Every structure is written in C-alpha cells, then in structure tokens.
Amino acid sequence: MTEKPQSPSKSVIQTSSPNSSENNEMVVTPWEVKGKVDYERLVREFGTQPLTEDLLKRVEKYTDKLHLQIERRIFFSHRGLDTVLDLYDEGIKFVLYTGRGPSGPVHIGHLVPWIFTLHLQQKFDTRLYFQMTDDEKFLVDDEATLNETRKYAYENALDLIALGFKPENTFIIYDVKDMDLLYDITLEVAKRITYSTARASFGFQDSTNIGWIYWPAIQAAPCFIHKKLTGENLPALIPAAIDQDPYWRVTRDIAEKLGYYKPAQIHCRFLPGLGAGGKMSASMPETSIFTMDQPDVVKKKIWNAFTGGKGTAAEQRKLGADPIVCSIFQYYFYLFEEDNTKLEERERRCRAGEMLCGECKNDIAAKLNKFLAEHQRKREKAKDVIDQYHIKR
Amino acid sequence: MTEKPQSPSKSVIQTSSPNSSENNEMVVTPWEVKGKVDYERLVREFGTQPLTEDLLKRVEKYTDKLHLQIERRIFFSHRGLDTVLDLYDEGIKFVLYTGRGPSGPVHIGHLVPWIFTLHLQQKFDTRLYFQMTDDEKFLVDDEATLNETRKYAYENALDLIALGFKPENTFIIYDVKDMDLLYDITLEVAKRITYSTARASFGFQDSTNIGWIYWPAIQAAPCFIHKKLTGENLPALIPAAIDQDPYWRVTRDIAEKLGYYKPAQIHCRFLPGLGAGGKMSASMPETSIFTMDQPDVVKKKIWNAFTGGKGTAAEQRKLGADPIVCSIFQYYFYLFEEDNTKLEERERRCRAGEMLCGECKNDIAAKLNKFLAEHQRKREKAKDVIDQYHIKR
C-alpha cells in the first residue's frame, strides 16, 4: 500500500487546528482535501496573494461585469495575476491552462472552476490547454489501472465539452496518449528540480514511487506548450482549486530559466459536499451530485443533505435557520443563483424562518435537474466532436 | 552543478581497493566507469553469475561456433541466461535489447557489444530493440542540451546500422521522439519502484534531479515493448557492459508482477583505453579510436598508445615485453585477431622480444584503418535507410 506523501513543510498543510476534532482536521495536498478548509490560513501558509479590490477592477475592465465566482470570492487568491494583467495591458495575451485528475466521474464541484475558465476564455478570447492527468491518477492510487484512468479521461472530457468550450481554442491533453507532445518539456523542467525541492514541496517519502516523484514536471509542461505548438511565447493563467498550488510554485521558480513567463494562478475554493463540511468527494458519492445522476438520485441526495435547519418545522419558523453552515445554500451561492438580490432574499427568508428546508431543497433539486438534463444532452452530443479537441500532429 | 549519484550500497561500486592509487580507484556506475576495473569483484558484489563451461556449451549448440567475444570471456557474466536458454529449448524465443547513451561520437569500444549482439541476432534469428537514451544523457549532464543528445542519437544510429543490422528485425527507439510508445510501460514500472529502492540501487541523493530518478523506468520499458507491439510475450536478453547491471536488477524484481518474463543479461568488459588502464572514454579523445577518425589521426593515437614495451629496442629484444598491460594487444584480443593461433603467436613473439611495439602498432593501425574505411562507407549509406529502423506508428 502506497502511503500518501506527508507534510514536511508548510507547502502541504496537514495539521490539526486547536479546536478541530480528530476527523475534521484540515488536510490540503494536491492529492487529498478533507476536513474544514480554512482558506485564510491557506493564503497565509501557501504564501499566495488575496484578490484585492484593485485587481478585481482591473479584471472587470476586460470582462464588463465580474463573474459571480470572482465577485463572491469563490476565486479568492492568486499568484501573479497582476503581472499577467500588466502584460495584457501592453498587448501581450495569455493562454489558459487547467485540468482534471480523471479518477472517477465528474461532479458539480468539478464544474465550478471550468465554468469560470470558460468565462475567462470568452472574455479574453484566448486559448485553453486542458490536461487530463490519467498518468497521475494511475500513479497515486494503488488500485487504479491505466485502463480506468484513460476511460475516465475520455468521460470527463465529455463533461468539459458539454459546458460550451469550442474546439478552435480548446486543446485537451491526455497525458498518456499525448506524452509525445509534452516529454521534451518535462525533461527541461525535471532537470531543474532536485529531489530535495520536490520532497519539500510535495512531502514525498522514501515509500513514494518514482513516477509520482517525476510527475510535477508533467503538470508543469502545459504551462509552456503554447510556444512549442505556435512559436508564440505567452504566459499561462491557471484557474484551479488551491490544493494544486504547490505545483505552480515549483514551476514558477524555474520558468524564466527556461525562457518562459512564470505561470500565474487564480485559486478557487471547493464546493462543499452535501454532508457536514469538507470538499465534495467522489469517494463519498452520496455527498456529491454527479453530472450523470438521474433526477430521482438527485432528489434523494438533496433530501438527505446537511442544512442549517432546526429539529422541527415549528422551531424553525420561530427561530429561523443558518444558511452559512447549510450545504444547499452553497449550491445557490456557487452556481445556481446568479442574481445577488434573489440570493440575499433567500438568505433573509431562511434566517427569518419564512422558508423551510423542504422548499429550498425542492427548488435546488429542480434547478439541478434542469441543469443536468441539459448538460447530459450536450454531453451526449460531445461524443461526436471530442476528437476535434485533440491536438493534431 | 549536479553531483553524480554516490554509492550508498553494493550495487554501485565506488571504493578504493587497498593497493590502488588515488587516481586508479575503481568507479563503476551506470554513468561513470574509471580506474582499473576488477571484473571478478563486480561479479561478486553485483551478485551476477559467471558464464560457465556448461552454459557456453548450450550457447554453442545454437551458434555452431562460439563467438570470440564469448569464447575469450569478453562477455563474462550473466543474469538469467540459463532461463532464456531453457525457454528457447522449449520453443519460446527471445528478443534482444541493448542501447546507447548518445552523449558523443561512437568509438571502437562501443562497437564491441553491438558486434556480439549482431552475432546473436543472426544465430538466433531474433528481433533487436535498440534504445537511444537521448533523454538520460540530457538529464545526467549539466551541460548537455536536448538538441545535442538528439543529434548524437541520430549519428550513433548510423554506426549501429553500418555494422550490418537489418531493418526487418532491428528497431531503434529514440527516447524523446518515441516516448509515445514507451510511456504507458514506464508508468507501470515506475509505480512499482519506490524512491528508497531507486536510491539504494543507483545512489541517488537529495541533489539528484527528478528526471534522473524517474529514468530507471524508461530504461526498463524496452524489455517489455515487444508484447505491446506484437502481442507476443517473450523474454528480453540484454547484451551490455556490466555498468548497466543495476537497471536490470530492479527491472527483474518487478517484471513478473507486470506479467512479463524477467529480462536476462549477458555482461561484457570494457575495451581498455589507449592510455594506461580503464575504459575507453569519449571524454579523453586521445585514448579512443572514434569511428569517424581519419587514418592519420588513428596512426597518431596508436603511436602514442600505452604498451607493455621496454625503454629501448635493445632492452626489449633481450627481455621481451608484456602484452597483458598493453592497450594495443587488447585491440587484437577484443576485435582484430579472430584467429586464436595467430593471437597466441603474436603474444609469444611479443614476450620473446621477437616483435617490437612499432611493428605491432603498424599492424593494428593498418587493420583499424581498413576497418574504419569500410565502416565509414557503410555508415554513409546508412543515412539513406535509417528511417526504416524506426518503429512505425
């Protein structure tokens, strides 16, 4: 049994906060997120920058209106976004880069940064490189086979395409299949990362397999692939959940030595699961809504979800409920209520006891099922065009 | 500056023997060979098997006559050759696998195992996979660029083809260009090698780059590629210099877990350089005869070579010379005197003082230049057919 890399440094946070119970301990590594996530602490300990009002104004200049995910600080932190905007002001564009570890089916939480990425792509009219890390998921999970991770890479790509990305400027990189495009770049990167740097950044141990140790070079490569494919040297901007930050820190340290711009990141939070707290996890399927879930399954999961409600309807009408701890309210906040006024009204009615959890759950189940029916339809159509998103040789 | 991995274990031998002087210390790692090589000690400490009379008889059964390199114990040690012959007796063939680290031009010493490999291929009518490790040479040498190592991979392949290998059953793998064929196999291998195993086998240190750490998985992959390409599961037999042995030990440990036969090896000695002792080294060009050397350069190098001769002609006529320490005699022994009777007569005349070094040097220079003229001609022709040796997609 492979042990997960442990935390020897501040880059991989894995300690109890004083008041956390044993099983609510915060764990945030590129391979594992659990417990109650303290985002302010992540910004502090990872050493990233918060998204300031000033920076948001600069983004707004190019996007007309701030996307709700940035306005609501679902994207809340960055590295080097200011530099990318400086360059953009001077006429130097950027490419977008994000990805997915295809270890299972896609759930609603995975869609959050992809939706924001699509928004950036549309507003900045730029190219996206999307990495399917079928190799990584094979290396870090004892039980995974390459057949499985490659199958999920295909399945997950359908979900990406269903969101509306266009093949003219969206390039999906399947690591195993596309290593011919990445390999020389990974070598240039790997030569400049010593084992001690990798161990300090990712918590590798003696029992870590050598594939996992090499892998940071493979996650770095798409930052630099645009120049190889087009001859054009542009910085990459990476919208992704903050657990992936250690990769980019290492990559930023070597980018300029290789003649590239440092990749910039913009980091998002995790959509909480339907249980009490924590990231939505594919390993606890009852706490996540998967894109292929059928209406009755969605209703059942929503019905069983953790909320901020009281023990009885009478008590809740009298005392109101707490939307802050409610997993259902997060669904509105992250994705399903774009209108701030309506969101505030929902919050007010919840707190005042005017709306009980049943009504709120019925509303979100209907919204989810409407969204999923449309998504599933587009996802089916994606099967006909998926090859157009593959980089041509 | 990258430090070369040091020896933390018996698998990488790097210690002084009691009588060695500082600069004649034996160093044998996959990346560096220097000093006087004690082959009996390597067999003992690497834990390989000597080639026994019994085993040679079994080889002879299939090869009619033993090749001089095996008869003279230039190939002197093995791992699992007996098992490969057992399988062959039962009708299960094998594939050959060897390779080259393209860090510079090819010299005569590099040709020794290739000539023997060609002999095996012809006698056993089998396929050869030849790995050009342009990635490895880039990773282990601070100064190397990928352009250089890839250029030498091409140049070195011409030397291989010039020896007479046929494109129908000779497949040259250029790592960087052909990683698409190897990558899934390297992942299966890498997942089963922990960092502690790799460190113990290769002497990796904290300062070793992560590309170098992954690389053993890449050298393992061609052992298993035949099944992927043809569907046929056959063992690989690897003729190579003994410094590469640590790779195969690790590969043998995991082969069966992946559903393959353990690769077998047959290990050769290094053709000594023209200086006093040690391997012929590309980093000391005056001690090596390169395949592209011109006649006058060859004559000069041979003229300056270290021999077992005496200080004056008169002394040597009286006392004789010592062919055992003579670098020129090794050329006859390894490559240029196939007739044992003639070799013994040359040795006798040398010891008896009947033949002086000048005569012997003139003879070998003539033989070398005849061989090189022919080799260079064939090497030029190889440019027209080199693409036929590349694995088709």
Side-chain angles (χ1 to χ4, degrees), chain A residues 162 369-379:
Chain A
N369 280 330
K370 189 179 163 206
F371 171 83
L372 290 179
E374 182 67 5
H375 184 81
Q376 286 163 14
R377 192 184 59 77
K378 290 178 182 161
R379 192 180 181 284

Side-chain angles (χ1 to χ4, degrees), chain A residues 131-146:
Chain A
Q131 185 177 39
M132 287 290 179
T133 66
D134 44 10
D135 49 356
E136 178 212 13
K137 288 298 165 187
F138 167 73
L139 289 168
V140 307
D141 178 352
D142 283 344
E143 304 302 320
T145 67
L146 275 176

Side-chain angles (χ1 to χ4, degrees), chain A residues 270-291:
Chain A
F270 308 105
L271 175 62
L274 295 172
K279 182 177 166 186
M280 183 178 283
S281 166
S283 60
M284 293 188 292
E286 71 284 4
T287 66
S288 307
I289 306 291
F290 293 92
T291 62

Side-chain angles (χ1 to χ4, degrees), chain B residues 266-284:
Chain B
I266 177 165
H267 305 114
C268 70
R269 300 168 197 262
F270 309 104
L271 175 63
L274 295 171
K279 183 179 167 184
M280 183 178 283
S281 168
S283 60
M284 293 189 291

Side-chain angles (χ1 to χ4, degrees), chain B residues 71-265:
Chain B
E71 188 193 15
R72 292 178 189 170
R73 301 292 199 282
I74 292 164
F75 276 86
F76 69 104
S77 149
H78 78 102
R79 279 187 198 272
L81 177 62
D82 45 349
T83 309
V84 164
L85 290 173
D86 290 345
L87 289 165
Y88 201 83
D89 289 343
E90 293 165 24
I92 298 166
K93 294 185 78 167
F94 58 86
V95 296
L96 291 162
Y97 162 34
T98 191
R100 157 85 181 137
S103 55
V106 161
H107 58 55
I108 293 285
H110 298 131
L111 300 185
V112 170
W114 301 357
I115 289 168
F116 182 65
T117 300
L118 178 62
H119 160 79
L120 289 178
Q121 185 183 54
Q122 289 168 341
K123 294 296 179 181
F124 287 93
D125 183 25
T126 186
R127 186 181 278 218
L128 167 66
Y129 294 101
F130 190 98
Q131 185 177 37
M132 286 290 180
T133 67
D134 43 11
D135 50 356
E136 178 211 11
K137 288 299 165 188
F138 168 72
L139 289 167
V140 308
D141 178 352
D142 283 345
E143 305 302 320
T145 68
L146 275 176
N147 277 347
E148 281 165 14
T149 61
R150 296 181 72 170
K151 185 198 78 174
Y152 280 125
Y154 170 83
E155 293 290 333
N156 296 177
L158 297 176
D159 285 298
L160 181 79
I161 293 166
L163 292 179
F165 289 95
K166 296 286 172 273
E168 304 86 72
N169 57 1
T170 304
F171 297 83
I172 303 176
I173 299 165
Y174 305 87
D175 280 349
V176 177
K177 190 158 62 177
D178 292 331
M179 190 46 62
D180 59 328
L181 292 178
L182 300 179
Y183 188 54
D184 57 346
I185 306 175
T186 73
L187 288 170
E188 295 280 3
V189 171
K191 189 172 181 176
R192 286 162 183 85
I193 303 176
T194 64
Y195 179 66
S196 64
T197 296
R199 185 181 52 204
S201 302
F202 301 103
F204 295 141
Q205 300 172 76
D206 280 4
S207 62
T208 305
N209 73 60
I210 60 173
W212 198 334
I213 292 170
Y214 188 67
W215 205 79
I218 296 171
Q219 180 143 338
C223 295
F224 308 134
I225 199 172
H226 186 71
K227 190 177 178 183
K228 177 176 172 177
L229 294 178
T230 67
E232 190 182 29
N233 195 9
L234 295 181
L237 174 63
I238 307 165
I242 194 164
D243 59 328
Q244 299 297 305
D245 179 70
Y247 285 114
W248 317 125
R249 201 159 357 134
V250 173
T251 309
R252 283 172 65 85
D253 283 347
I254 58 169
E256 291 177 335
K257 292 176 206 160
L258 297 176
Y260 301 106
Y261 290 104
K262 290 184 179 190
Q265 297 85 54

